[in-house]
Each structure stands twice: as structure tokens, then as C-alpha cells.
């Protein structure tokens, strides 16, 4: 390892740490906070089905493609695109793909850190016993009072951003690896516990029905776009996070196999979150379409009323904050890696500048929940706009370009060599999905949304 770390670019110490780190990037607020509330807003079952189809047919092939591009070049996303464009003798405009990823990462980080700040604030609330014996109304008031206060939100947002930077500054081996090694299993166990609680409510089957019985009349073209966008968001695809992590992956590790493991774990956590949350929603006469506050208005009810809820509540929000942390570090890593490797900036300075930019923009999201809640563009608050722009537009466009580049531009002989699949058929399946299925699916969803279809 010492040999590799001497260069500017680090490397994972094993395949297992790559899986942990990439799963750490994938599993985060997207699974536990976002998946339930957008499922609630988009009518449940049918939306979930579209999301699952997108993960399988678009997400996994693109995850393989993105990891492969990173590993081939062993550089940050911007240089990866420069290098591989040259190798393939392709048009220089492909360079912009790397840029878009770096920018999308910082844009997402800006509001991601705000919501992660909520999770961190809720550790404190759990600790002082705010959930104790509380009913739905008390928990809602607690949440409403919290988001009405810019000062409190700025405090937690700053704290979370500082934690992100502290880890990223230490670099890939020391910082990122350590953070993810114990978190994933612990988080998983806590999710199971919450599912156990959901089973004790008398709305368990109503929750399951909402989540898994598809009613296609509830599906609009905009919910299909949201489901597709979420497949990218939750798997950390389309902006270079997985590319950067792939670039730290030792040669010779099977990329396809790891992609399946990562996507499988990610999907499982999201479904568990849904199974835990919706029964609580119905049991307490709450509405599935409550919006971004959904988990903060439901899970505390469970913690307030179950035996041992005090400690489980604390543990849950600690886990959620750390899950968010292992994602946020991957949101900023492309920008930092580029500044360090390309601009000769020190890792410290690179972290400070990128972190500051995302922190400042985060203020806009904070205010959109209170003092700027009436400021709207295209009928959306600034937070909603940033979320839409990144998750629904930039990530799918980035993913589309990655698929086209890996499937059409890169020489097949290179991708075949890099992927090194166990047999020719698996490689062919990937080629078909990456060349045709994934890009066409993204394309048609977009056409549908702009009303052409
Ligand atoms: N996948 C992360 C989550 O679900 C968010 C993320 C998106 C991280 C894009 C990196 C890149 O919380």
C-alpha cells in the first residue's frame, strides 16, 4: 500500500473496503429520508416498481460503466474524461462530463448537508427525551418549530459540513475506509428493529399494501422521472462519485459483481425504511405525502412509545448521521481530487474551498424552509429546485452520457478487458443494457416529461 499512497492518488486496501465505501456512498439520506417521502408523494406501489426497474435496468449497468471508467484511468472524474477521450480518439467535448459531475456533487452536497444536519439535531432531541410518550401532533410541532428556525438549522448544517471536511481532509485510506467499516451492519440491524416495531402497529399490512400494491393510475410522467432520478441519486450515479471510488479500486477486482452487491444492499435498506415508516404513518393518521419531514415526523413516534426507545432513538439518528456522512464525503471527493491532482492545491485547501462553496449555497436551502418559503421559481422553493435540478436532471443526464461513452465511444476491447467478466454472455448483456436500454430509457422518460410523447 505504501507504494501506491506515495502518488497523489490513493487506493483501497482491498475489494471489501471498496464495497464498503461505495455502499457507504450509496446508502444514506436517499434511502432512509428521501425514498419514503417521495414514495409517499407519488402514490406508493407503482412508483416503487418503476424505481426498482430503473435500478435494475439503468442503475446497475451504469454503475458498472462508471466504476469501469474510473478504474481504467485511475484519475479524478475530470482527468478521467480527458484521458479516456484521448484514448478513444473522441471529441473533446466529452471533457464537460467530468465538470458537470463535480458541479452536481457540490450542488447536492449543499442541501444534503442541511438535511443531514436535521438528522444530527435529532440526536440531541432524542437524547433530551423530546420524543418520550409523544403523539403525532407533538412530534409534528417539534419538527415545525425546528425548521422554522434558521439559526438552529445553520448550526447543525455547519457542524455536519465540518465533520465531512474533517474526514475528507485525511484522504481516502485513513478517512474514508475507517468510517464505513462498522456502520453498515449496525445501521442494518437498527432498520430491522424499526421494522419489528412497525409490525406491532395495527397498520402494518396497510403500510405494506401502500408500498407494494401498484396502482398505475397514480403514476404520472413526472413521478416516473422522479423514480428514475432517484435510482441515480440513491446509487450515487451520474456525477463521478462512483467514478472516483472506482479509480481507487485495485486492478483485477470484478466490477460487475461488486456493483450487484452494492445495488442490492442499497435497495434493501430503502425497502426496509419504507416498511418501517408507512405502518407508523397510517397508525397515527399521518399523511404519506407529508414531504421532506416525513421520517422526522414518524419515527420519533415509534421511539417515544417503544421499550428502550430512548436509546434506540439516539442510536438511529447517530447511524443516520453517519450514513449521511459516508455519502457526503463522496459528494465532495470528485471536486477535492481534481483540485489536488490537477491544480496542485493542498488537500486541506481543496477541502476548505469546496466545502465553503457548498456550505454557502446550503443557506439558500435552509431559508427555503422558513424566511424564503415564499420565494419560488417554476413553482418550487430553492431547496426543491436544487433537488429537482440535480436528482431529476443532472444525474440522469450524467448517467446517460456515461452509458453512451462506455457503450459507444470507448473501444469494446478496452471495456471488455477492464470488466474482465467471467463469460462472454455476461459482457454482452452489459453491452446491450449500456448501449441501448439505459440511454434509451433515460431519453424516453425525458421526452415524456417535456410532453413530446
Ligand atoms: N446515494 C446517496 C444517498 O442515497 C446520495 C449521493 C448521491 C451520494 C450522489 C453521492 C452522489 O443518500
Amino acid at each position: 500500500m505504501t507504494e501506491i499512497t506515495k502518488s497523489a492518488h490513493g487506493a483501497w486496501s482491498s475489494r471489501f473496503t471498496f464495497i464498503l465505501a461505495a455502499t457507504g456512498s450509496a446508502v444514506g439520506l436517499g434511502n432512509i429520508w428521501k425514498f419514503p417521502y417521495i414514495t409517499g408523494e407519488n402514490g406508493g406501489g407503482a412508483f416503487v416498481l418503476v424505481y426498482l426497474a430503473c435500478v435494475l435496468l439503468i442503475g446497475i449497468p451504469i454503475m458498472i460503466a462508471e466504476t469501469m471508467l474510473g478504474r481504467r484511468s485511475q484519475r479524478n472524474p475530470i482527468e478521467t474524461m480527458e484521458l479516456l477521450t484521448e484514448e478513444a480518439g473522441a471529441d473533446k467535448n466529452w471533457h464537460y462530463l467530468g465538470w458537470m459531475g463535480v458541479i452536481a456533487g457540490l450542488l447536492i452536497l449543499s442541501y444534503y448537508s442541511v438535511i443531514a444536519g436535521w438528522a444530527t439535531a435529532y440526536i440531541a432531541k432524542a437524547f433530551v427525551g423530546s420524543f418520550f410518550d409523544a403523539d403525532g401532533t407533538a412530534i409534528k410541532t417539534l419538527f415545525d418549530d425546528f425548521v422554522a428556525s434558521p439559526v438552529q438549522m445553520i448550526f447543525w448544517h455547519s457542524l455536519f459540513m465540518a465533520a465531512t471536511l474533517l474526514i475528507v481532509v485525511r484522504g481516502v485510506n485513513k478517512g474514508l475506509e475507517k468510517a464505513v467499516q462498522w456502520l453498515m451492519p449496525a445501521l442494518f440491524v437498527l432498520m430491522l428493529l424499526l421494522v419489528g416495531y412497525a409490525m406491532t402497529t395495527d397498520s402494518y399490512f396497510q403500510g405494506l399494501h401502500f408500498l407494494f400494491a401498484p396502482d398505475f393510475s397514480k403514476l404520472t410522467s413526472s413521478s416516473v422521472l422522479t423514480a428514475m432520478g432517484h435510482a441515480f441519486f440513491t446509487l450515487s450515479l451520474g456525477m463521478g462519485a462512483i467514478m472516483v471510488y472506482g479509480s481507487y479500486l485495485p486492478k483485477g477486482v470484478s466490477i460487475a459483481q461488486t456493483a450487484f452487491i452494492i445495488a442490492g444492499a442499497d435497495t434493501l435498506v430503502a425497502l426496509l425504511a419504507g416498511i418501517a415508516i408507512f405502518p407508523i404513518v397510517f397508525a397515527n393518521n399521518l399523511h404519506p405525502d407529508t414531504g421532506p419531514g416525513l421520517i422526522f415526523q414518524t419515527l420519533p413516534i415509534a421511539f417515544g412509545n417503544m421499550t428502550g426507545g430512548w436509546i434506540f432513538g439516539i442510536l438511529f439518528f447517530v447511524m443516520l448521521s453517519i450514513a449521511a456522512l459516508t455519502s457526503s464525503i463522496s459528494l465532495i471527493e470528485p471536486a477535492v481530487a481534481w483540485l489536488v491532482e490537477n491544480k496542485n492545491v493542498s488537500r486541506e485547501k481543496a477541502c476548505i474551498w469546496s466545502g465553503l462553496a457548498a456550505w454557502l449555497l446550503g443557506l439558500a436551502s435552509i431559508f427555503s424552509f422558513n424566511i424564503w418559503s415564499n420565494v419560488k421559481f417554476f413553482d418550487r422553493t430553492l431547496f426543491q429546485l436544487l433537488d429537482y435540478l440535480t436528482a431529476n436532471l443532472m444525474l440522469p443526464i450524467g448517467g446517460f452520457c456515461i452509458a453512451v461513452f462506455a457503450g459507444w465511444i470507448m473501444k469494446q476491447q478496452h471495456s471488455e478487458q477492464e470488466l474482465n467478466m467471467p463469460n462472454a454472455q455476461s459482457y454482452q448483456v452489459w453491452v446491450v443494457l449500456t448501449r441501448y436500454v439505459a440511454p434509451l430509457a433515460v431519453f424516453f422518460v425525458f421526452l415524456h416529461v417535456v410532453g413530446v410523447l
Side-chain angles (χ1 to χ4, degrees):
M1 172 103 84
T2 36
E3 263 177 71
I4 308 171
T5 41
K6 269 188 203 140
S7 72
H9 212 73
W12 303 115
S13 36
S14 71
R15 173 181 110 109
F16 185 59
T17 27
F18 168 74
I19 294 183
L20 278 176
T23 313
S25 164
V27 175
L29 296 174
N31 309 62
I32 297 169
W33 158 75
K34 194 174 181 189
F35 171 72
Y37 95 75
I38 56 176
T39 300
E41 284 179 339
N42 290 282
F47 176 84
V48 175
L49 211 61
V50 176
Y51 151 77
L52 290 175
C54 289
V55 167
L56 197 66
L57 297 175
I58 307 175
I60 293 179
I62 292 184
M63 180 178 268
I64 296 176
E66 193 173 332
T67 315
M68 174 190 76
L69 299 185
R71 193 187 48 195
R72 180 147 190 94
S73 79
Q74 313 221 303
R75 292 281 188 284
N76 64 72
I78 291 181
E79 283 186 86
T80 295
M81 289 318 296
E82 287 172 1
L83 215 85
L84 297 185
T85 307
E86 206 177 306
E87 185 186 62
D91 191 293
K92 287 214 165 38
N93 280 321
W94 281 103
H95 294 182
Y96 291 113
L97 184 53
W99 277 105
M100 191 172 73
V102 167
I103 293 167
L106 292 180
L107 292 181
I108 297 176
L109 181 63
S110 76
Y111 66 86
Y112 203 85
S113 164
V114 171
I115 309 293
W118 295 2
T120 318
Y122 267 61
I123 304 175
K125 293 193 193 303
F127 186 78
V128 299
S130 308
F131 310 152
F132 192 66
D133 260 349
D135 59 6
T137 329
I139 294 295
K140 182 173 172 0
T141 314
L142 189 75
F143 178 77
D144 289 345
D145 288 350
F146 174 64
V147 290
S149 158
V151 178
Q152 283 194 49
M153 286 221 283
I154 292 176
F155 173 78
W156 295 105
H157 165 53
S158 314
L159 194 72
F160 183 83
M161 191 65 88
T164 303
L165 298 181
L166 271 180
I167 297 186
V168 176
V169 112
R170 301 179 64 199
V172 50
N173 304 59
K174 291 193 217 95
L176 310 194
E177 283 194 15
K178 287 275 167 344
V180 289
Q181 289 195 348
W182 57 275
L183 172 87
M184 288 300 131
L187 183 70
F188 190 72
V189 171
L190 264 184
M191 295 309 303
L192 286 181
L193 181 94
L194 281 169
V195 170
Y197 174 83
M199 282 179 177
T200 67
T201 66
D202 45 18
S203 303
Y204 183 60
F205 289 103
Q206 193 183 351
L208 286 189
H209 188 264
F210 180 78
L211 206 53
F212 294 117
D215 173 358
F216 286 99
S217 68
K218 291 195 180 140
L219 211 58
T220 62
S221 58
S222 96
S223 34
V224 173
L225 175 65
T226 306
M228 182 181 79
H230 187 63
F232 284 97
F233 184 87
T234 191
L235 295 175
S236 308
L237 296 178
M239 50 67 68
I242 290 295
M243 203 186 279
V244 145
Y245 278 13
S247 73
Y248 304 137
L249 186 64
K251 295 272 178 193
V253 167
S254 157
I255 293 178
Q257 204 185 12
T258 48
F260 273 98
I261 299 175
I262 297 160
D266 185 78
T267 310
L268 196 63
V269 174
L271 294 179
L272 284 179
I275 298 174
I277 284 161
F278 286 107
I280 306 176
V281 169
F282 295 118
N284 291 281
N285 294 322
L286 299 167
H287 299 288
D289 60 352
T290 298
L294 186 68
I295 66 158
F296 297 95
Q297 299 183 30
T298 49
L299 296 182
I301 306 178
F303 296 127
N305 293 288
M306 64 162 90
T307 346
W310 179 74
I311 188 75
F312 291 137
I314 298 174
L315 278 178
F316 176 80
F317 286 109
V318 168
M319 301 276 126
L320 185 58
S321 306
I322 302 178
L325 206 51
T326 57
S327 302
S328 66
I329 53 186
S330 71
L331 283 164
I332 200 172
E333 183 66 19
V336 171
W338 174 70
L339 286 171
V340 172
E341 289 170 22
N342 225 10
K343 291 280 163 235
N344 263 331
V345 178
S346 70
R347 207 165 163 94
E348 289 78 12
K349 282 212 180 104
C351 285
I352 291 174
W353 286 115
S354 347
L356 195 67
W359 181 84
L360 272 176
L361 189 62
L363 299 181
S365 286
I366 292 188
F367 298 148
S368 75
F369 287 98
N370 35 66
I371 51 178
W372 288 355
S373 60
N374 290 327
V375 180
K376 290 198 175 162
F377 300 91
F378 307 104
D379 217 22
R380 291 187 170 85
T381 65
L382 286 168
F383 159 73
Q384 288 169 332
L385 196 70
L386 275 170
D387 174 39
Y388 190 88
L389 180 73
T390 51
N392 289 15
L393 302 180
M394 290 177 94
L395 298 186
I397 293 174
F400 173 89
C401 295
I402 287 171
V404 170
F405 189 86
W408 294 93
I409 308 293
M410 195 170 170
K411 296 205 171 59
Q412 285 220 4
Q413 145 209 10
H414 290 159
S415 60
E416 194 165 6
Q417 174 195 8
E418 201 62 48
L419 290 177
N420 194 12
M421 301 240 192
N423 52 49
Q425 289 94 314
S426 322
Y427 177 70
Q428 279 314 320
V429 172
W430 174 79
V431 168
V432 170
L433 289 173
T434 311
R435 283 193 145 190
Y436 305 101
V437 179
L440 284 176
V442 176
F443 184 68
F444 282 116
V445 172
F446 275 135
L447 279 192
H448 212 270
V449 172
V450 293
V452 178
L453 275 177

